[in-house]
Amino acid sequence: SAPGGVAASDGQYTNKVVVSWEAAEGATSYEIWKRAEGGVESNIYRTSGTSYQDKNVGEGVSYQYAVKAKNSRYESALSASDGGYTLGRPSGVAASDGTYEGKIRVSWAAVAGATGYEVWRGTKSALSGATKIGEASGSAVTYDDTTAAVGSSYYYWVKAKNSATSGGLAGGDSGYVA
């Protein structure tokens, strides 16, 4: 019979999706099948174990995983599938340009699997020299920088995080205080 309990990691890693399943009676090997959102299903790996680390994944991309049990005589149908994804970077990072008095509002698009975000600031458009200035928790997708000096421009980057990992920095938009 097909393996049960197929489970794929949901944003616990930035560079892989870990897939696990229950052993099927009589199986000597397993085939792992993968389908990207809107893509074609394909056999990506064969193992005798009951887990697999898929490192051929895109950042923030969702995949469906299913498993077939095999032995020298038989092959099962595909198991029920489970979706998994990596923790991605925030997109649409934007800093306000004089819109607010006494602060710069930084905003971004939510990242699947994120439970919070780090906000970084620099005085140059390059990341070198940027420092973490604060955090936004939960589903918040804005951060108000109230420490920015009037008359100065700053560049902002945002990093998604959860209890297992944190993603890469994204952004680089500049903003200033009114």
Side-chain angles (χ1 to χ4, degrees):
S1 62
V6 174
S9 59
D10 293 328
Q12 287 94 337
Y13 309 97
T14 58
N15 62 346
K16 64 185 173 184
V17 174
V18 176
V19 184
S20 62
W21 57 92
E22 297 167 358
E25 189 174 336
T28 56
S29 66
Y30 300 93
E31 287 182 355
I32 296 88
W33 289 70
K34 171 182 167 182
R35 180 173 43 90
E37 251 178 55
V40 176
E41 193 166 61
S42 61
N43 178 355
I44 59 167
Y45 194 72
R46 189 171 182 169
T47 182
S48 59
T50 56
S51 68
Y52 172 68
Q53 295 184 19
D54 183 6
K55 294 181 180 179
N56 187 20
V57 292
E59 190 175 278
V61 178
S62 293
Y63 301 93
Q64 288 291 318
Y65 294 89
V67 180
K68 279 185 181 181
K70 298 183 85 163
N71 64 28
S72 61
R73 300 182 70 200
Y74 299 103
E75 177 178 298
S76 76
L78 277 173
S79 67
S81 66
D82 186 50
Y85 55 89
T86 59
L87 184 66
R89 297 173 194 234
S91 62
V93 176
S96 61
D97 295 321
T99 309
Y100 303 97
E101 190 173 321
K103 68 182 178 185
I104 297 172
R105 176 161 286 171
V106 183
S107 61
W108 57 90
V111 173
T115 58
Y117 301 89
E118 292 180 3
V119 179
W120 290 61
R121 180 178 79 186
T123 56
K124 298 181 260 177
S125 61
L127 262 172
S128 62
T131 58
K132 179 179 149 185
I133 60 166
E135 296 190 13
S137 60
S139 60
V141 291
T142 62
Y143 176 84
D144 290 336
D145 180 4
T146 57
T147 64
V150 175
S152 297
S153 284
Y154 299 94
Y155 293 85
Y156 295 88
W157 293 266
V158 179
K159 177 190 287 194
K161 64 181 196 164
N162 60 32
S163 62
T165 191
S166 62
L169 288 166
D173 191 43
S174 65
Y176 60 90
V177 177

